[in-house]
Amino acid sequence: MRMLRKIALSAIRQPANLSIDSNLMREAKGLDVNVSRAAEAGIAEAVAAEKTRLWKLENRATMDAWNDYIEKHGIPLEDYRQF
């Protein structure tokens, strides 16, 4: 599942120097793509993906323990599930 944060139009912007493939830049300009916003969206997506990866690493032991519990004992309150 791909999740992107909404980019706030009123956010304080910080100038940045980026090196971008010249052919890609030419194509983006030809299509009137807002390169700054597109770069920001891509960076936001990369940050979200890295945060997710780190969360999974940090919580791996807990997830494994929970999965082991479910394997041994089943789902808690399973008898009361209506689905």
Side-chain angles (χ1 to χ4, degrees):
M1 179 162 87
R2 188 174 137 173
M3 295 180 65
L4 295 176
R5 76 172 179 94
K6 268 194 168 170
I7 297 172
L9 297 177
S10 62
I12 297 172
R13 300 283 185 258
Q14 177 178 335
N17 292 323
L18 302 172
S19 296
I20 299 174
D21 180 295
S22 61
N23 291 329
L24 185 59
M25 280 298 294
R26 188 172 26 261
E27 191 172 6
K29 286 181 180 182
L31 296 169
D32 291 326
V33 171
N34 183 326
V35 176
S36 293
R37 295 287 191 253
E40 189 172 358
I43 293 167
E45 186 175 344
V47 166
E50 184 61 10
K51 283 181 175 182
T52 298
R53 187 188 72 79
L54 291 173
W55 185 91
K56 286 178 181 179
L57 282 175
E58 291 168 4
N59 292 283
R60 183 68 185 199
T62 301
M63 290 187 291
D64 287 345
W66 180 246
N67 287 335
D68 289 344
Y69 178 89
I70 296 296
E71 224 175 89
K72 291 176 188 170
H73 305 285
I75 298 171
L77 305 174
E78 186 172 17
D79 294 342
Y80 300 100
R81 291 173 68 176
Q82 296 181 9
F83 56 93

